[in-house]
Amino acid sequence: MRSFFKNVLANIVAIVLLCAVFFVFFIMMLVFSSMGSEKSVVVKKNSVLTINLKTAIIDSPTEENVSLFNISDKNKNILLYDVLEAINKAKTDDNIKGISIEADYLNAGITQLDDIRNAIEDFKKSGKFVYAYGNAVSQSSYYLGSVADQYYLNPSGMIELKGLATEVTFFKDFAEKYGIGIEVIRHGKFKSAVEPFLRNDISPENKEQLSTLLNDIWKNTSTKIAVSRKIDTTQFRMVVDSLYGMIPELGLKYKLADKLIQKTEYDEMIKSKLSLKEKEKLNKISVANYISSYADEDKSGEKVAVLYASGAINNGDGYNEIFSEKYVKYIKDLQNDDKVKAVVFRINSPGGSANASDEILFELQQLKKKKPLVVSFGDYAASGGYYIAMAADKIYSEPNTLTGSIGVFGVIPYYKDIANKNGIRSDIVATNANSQYYSALNGVSPYGVSLITRSVEGTYKRFVHFVTQNRKQTFEQIDSVGGGRVWSGTRAKQIGLVDDLGTLNDAVKFAAQKAGLKSYHVTSYPKKMSPFEQIFKDLNEDEISARVIKNKIGKANYEILQQITDKKLQSEVKMEMPYQIKIN
């Protein structure tokens, strides 16, 4: 018996030691990998700056989510601001002779594509070439690639040019079928975040705002494509309606592409453009590597800080979205940093917790008392995402930013019917009249409904109050364009919800000007987490379970599942927009 326990103990010790060795080996591999990625990059003569599939454009450092599940992913995430700076720097860099856009699919938001496209338009003023090549090209990639002097397509390729559409998923029948009750309280007939739980189709009000929004965005993007490709507007609409881009010969016939060639022929054509000999190598440098080539330049002195706020707004402490506790600290740090002379608050958020939004707005109001605060909108600045902008000296929006959604709602699910059908009932003993105003089995009491309604209405009035102060309009004026309605940035400018249409660069320049700075450098907040911090912060049961489920059912289905099961949706009054617009 003693021998048995001895063997068991020896095996346990061996397993522990083996795990420890593996863990140390894993850490060392990460360290060496990180060191290897930080090698200095030298830009060779006759180089071509390349935008390719390995480039993922993110708006904020918090969008970079490194974990054990994607540690081997070779794609590089790059901040939008860094991409724009790289293109601007390449314009006057004698070693960079042109730009090659080689992306069938680009991981970037619609306003990010707008900014990059505008930067490339400006780059072309240098006289340097811009070419693009595609195989099976998504609509978003073609939107960017169409800015090129020449667009080349593979002979068996395609361009998915189809216009915009949105599909809303509804859960009303699902909830009724399985005995799930949902109590909804909202302010604003356009506050459509709760419609999936109330209806089986899109309401006339929501259909109106979605139609207006999609047509505004498509008008902006399609006009730019048609102008760049020198296609008549009427003909362009016919080409899109007929999906002619899906057939390479028709894409060529109707001017979506200039020539059908293989990738090797495309590279040879660029070599010829650069007057390279047959055996000379074509030097392509990715945007990420180009940024690395000058990343160590001196950045001492006065700063304009860009504080990125990307994702849903939540209470508490966290990194990968907007968590109030974290952002209160960021804002206070910027307020007390004497080297930071102005702050640009870059918002890319559909909203979230009303309470968390209010905390962040208050701290921004304190920051504004000490130094200029300029706001720049990304893809979304809706509901709580718009609310936290109300401390700004000036608000810049992109033409295609989803803006506004000034509205509030609460959703309270309960499970009385499904519980009763399965023989589950409850009884209550309480000390006070409303100790059990809400129960998962019995729902919300009549008094609870009236109380939550008062809370929603009070939050809406507080929302509109801050908007009236910032936008210098009356309650009635803001209420008339509020009610939960989402506007494009173009229309938001027309109705006074933003000050100007412009990019993140425009916001940075204005902030520097307002602070009286002639020489400055731009620094980003929050600071990027190291791969170690990102990996180990996610080593928990929920993260692993979520990854397994997402891999099994797919990302799109997982997002639908989240809409039904999200605890944050059920717990408090929300300022949130229910959908996203993507040009795929």
Side-chain angles (χ1 to χ4, degrees):
M1 198 68 174
R2 184 182 298 173
S3 175
F4 170 76
F5 282 116
K6 199 177 198 179
N7 288 333
V8 170
L9 184 60
N11 286 329
I12 291 173
V13 171
I15 291 169
V16 170
L17 287 174
L18 186 63
C19 290
V21 170
F22 174 79
F23 182 77
V24 171
F25 176 74
F26 173 72
I27 294 297
M28 290 177 66
M29 288 293 290
L30 279 177
V31 170
F32 288 130
S33 174
S34 177
M35 289 172 61
S37 65
E38 292 176 0
K39 290 180 181 177
S40 60
V41 176
V42 177
V43 184
K44 299 176 182 178
K45 292 181 178 180
N46 287 327
S47 290
V48 178
L49 186 63
T50 307
I51 300 172
N52 56 32
L53 288 168
K54 294 180 181 179
T55 304
I57 314 299
I58 59 175
D59 216 64
S60 163
T62 61
E63 291 179 42
E64 186 164 44
N65 195 4
V66 178
S67 75
L68 286 173
F69 298 93
N70 62 8
I71 189 72
S72 62
D73 191 351
K74 295 181 180 179
N75 289 356
K76 291 189 176 182
N77 295 320
I78 313 172
L79 283 178
L80 171 65
Y81 186 83
D82 291 339
V83 176
L84 302 180
E85 284 293 290
I87 295 171
N88 183 57
K89 189 176 183 68
K91 181 181 176 182
T92 55
D93 187 338
D94 291 337
N95 289 327
I96 300 293
K97 301 302 181 183
I99 290 176
S100 178
I101 304 169
E102 303 173 16
D104 290 348
Y105 175 80
L106 269 175
N107 188 3
I110 184 171
T111 60
Q112 295 168 344
L113 292 171
D114 277 333
D115 284 357
I116 297 169
R117 205 177 188 281
N118 290 336
I120 294 174
E121 285 278 20
D122 183 65
F123 174 89
K124 289 164 68 175
K125 295 175 184 176
S126 66
K128 299 178 181 181
F129 69 83
V130 177
Y131 294 151
Y133 183 86
N135 289 288
V137 187
S138 70
Q139 188 162 251
S140 57
S141 290
Y142 186 71
Y143 174 54
L144 179 64
S146 64
V147 75
D149 305 314
Q150 298 286 314
Y151 194 98
Y152 299 92
L153 184 66
N154 187 282
S156 60
M158 56 165 278
I159 299 168
E160 192 181 35
L161 193 58
K162 58 187 180 180
L164 299 180
T166 185
E167 185 175 7
V168 182
T169 306
F170 295 90
F171 306 107
K172 181 175 179 288
D173 285 352
F174 171 86
E176 289 177 355
K177 178 180 179 180
Y178 291 101
I180 302 171
I182 300 174
E183 191 76 49
V184 172
I185 297 132
R186 63 174 171 172
H187 182 105
K189 62 182 180 179
F190 291 100
K191 200 64 183 174
S192 54
V194 295
E195 277 196 3
F197 305 109
L198 298 176
R199 304 173 58 95
N200 290 316
D201 59 356
I202 302 173
S203 68
E205 294 84 5
N206 194 20
K207 188 170 288 187
E208 177 192 338
Q209 74 165 340
L210 286 174
S211 178
T212 302
L213 184 64
L214 289 175
N215 279 289
D216 280 352
I217 294 173
W218 182 241
K219 182 180 179 181
N220 287 333
T221 55
S222 63
T223 299
K224 288 181 181 179
I225 295 173
V227 169
S228 292
R229 297 301 306 161
K230 298 179 176 61
I231 305 174
D232 174 78
T233 306
T234 304
Q235 179 171 297
F236 182 77
R237 183 177 183 85
M238 181 271 294
V239 169
V240 175
D241 288 344
S242 304
L243 301 178
Y244 282 164
M246 307 284 277
I247 310 297
E249 291 78 17
L250 292 177
L252 180 63
K253 178 181 178 180
Y254 290 102
K255 302 181 183 178
L256 298 182
D258 293 290
K259 197 172 184 180
L260 303 180
I261 59 175
Q262 296 289 344
K263 183 63 163 48
T264 302
E265 295 174 297
Y266 174 76
D267 288 342
E268 288 298 323
M269 182 269 300
I270 295 179
K271 285 181 65 174
S272 176
K273 176 76 175 177
L274 298 174
S275 300
L276 297 178
K277 295 178 182 178
E278 185 178 344
K279 292 185 179 181
E280 286 186 286
K281 184 181 178 182
L282 176 60
N283 296 319
K284 289 185 178 181
I285 182 168
S286 69
V287 175
N289 284 339
Y290 186 61
I291 291 168
S292 299
S293 72
Y294 58 84
D296 295 330
E297 291 179 358
D298 181 35
K299 291 186 176 180
S300 59
E302 296 178 320
K303 307 175 186 175
V304 172
V306 179
L307 175 59
Y308 293 95
S310 186
I313 302 172
N314 311 284
N315 286 108
D317 188 5
Y319 179 74
N320 286 117
E321 290 185 319
I322 307 168
F323 287 86
S324 57
E325 189 175 321
K326 210 74 158 179
Y327 272 79
V328 165
K329 183 180 183 302
Y330 295 150
I331 295 163
K332 285 182 176 178
D333 288 346
L334 292 173
Q335 182 179 337
N336 296 325
D337 189 338
D338 291 336
K339 288 186 177 180
V340 173
K341 301 302 181 182
V343 175
V344 173
F345 191 36
R346 173 70 170 189
I347 300 171
N348 190 18
S349 172
S353 163
N355 175 256
S357 301
D358 202 73
E359 286 187 277
I360 293 168
L361 175 61
F362 175 78
E363 294 303 331
L364 288 168
Q365 289 170 332
Q366 308 316 302
L367 171 67
K368 181 185 174 182
K369 293 175 182 177
K370 292 190 68 173
K371 53 193 71 175
L373 175 64
V374 180
V375 164
S376 168
F377 288 162
D379 286 349
Y380 306 95
S383 215
Y386 183 74
Y387 185 86
I388 59 177
M390 292 301 103
D393 291 303
K394 186 171 184 176
I395 299 174
Y396 285 91
S397 178
E398 305 272 1
N400 291 331
T401 300
L402 273 68
T403 312
S405 191
I406 302 167
V408 184
F409 71 90
V411 177
I412 307 111
Y414 58 95
Y415 310 95
K416 182 175 182 178
D417 289 345
I418 191 173
N420 290 348
K421 287 176 184 177
N422 290 278
I424 301 172
R425 285 172 177 77
S426 67
D427 205 351
I428 298 168
V429 177
T431 60
N432 292 80
N434 288 288
S435 296
Q436 189 79 341
Y437 76 92
Y438 168 71
S439 161
L441 289 180
N442 293 300
V444 189
S445 69
Y447 182 78
V449 171
S450 67
L451 195 69
I452 295 170
T453 302
R454 284 179 61 187
S455 176
V456 166
E457 292 297 329
T459 304
Y460 179 76
K461 288 178 182 176
R462 184 172 175 80
F463 194 158
V464 175
H465 165 71
F466 285 121
V467 178
T468 59
Q469 285 191 323
N470 185 272
R471 306 316 308 153
K472 296 178 175 57
Q473 296 186 36
T474 66
F475 186 97
E476 290 73 23
Q477 286 174 311
I478 297 301
D479 190 40
S480 68
V481 297
R485 181 158 187 171
V486 181
W487 305 89
S488 68
T490 302
R491 288 190 188 258
K493 169 69 168 62
Q494 293 170 1
I495 60 180
L497 292 183
V498 302
D499 294 296
D500 216 339
L501 297 178
T503 65
L504 177 57
N505 274 338
D506 293 327
V508 169
K509 289 174 183 175
F510 180 81
Q513 178 186 340
K514 191 167 179 63
L517 301 179
K518 292 183 179 179
S519 176
Y520 63 92
H521 73 269
V522 177
T523 183
S524 299
Y525 295 86
K527 294 299 182 185
K528 182 179 177 180
M529 267 191 179
S530 70
F532 299 108
E533 291 173 306
Q534 292 195 54
I535 288 170
F536 292 113
K537 79 176 173 60
D538 288 334
L539 281 182
N540 59 66
E541 185 179 343
D542 287 344
E543 167 70 12
I544 294 170
S545 299
R547 292 278 181 175
V548 170
I549 294 171
K550 189 184 293 185
N551 287 337
K552 286 291 184 184
I553 67 175
K555 183 179 178 182
N557 291 328
Y558 181 74
E559 289 174 352
I560 293 174
L561 179 65
Q562 278 187 307
Q563 290 182 51
I564 305 171
T565 60
D566 188 359
K567 292 178 182 178
K568 291 181 289 185
L569 183 67
Q570 305 165 11
S571 60
E572 59 185 312
V573 175
K574 307 290 283 187
M575 300 174 176
E576 194 161 22
M577 189 186 65
Y579 41 72
Q580 298 181 348
I581 302 292
K582 296 180 181 179
I583 299 184
N584 291 326

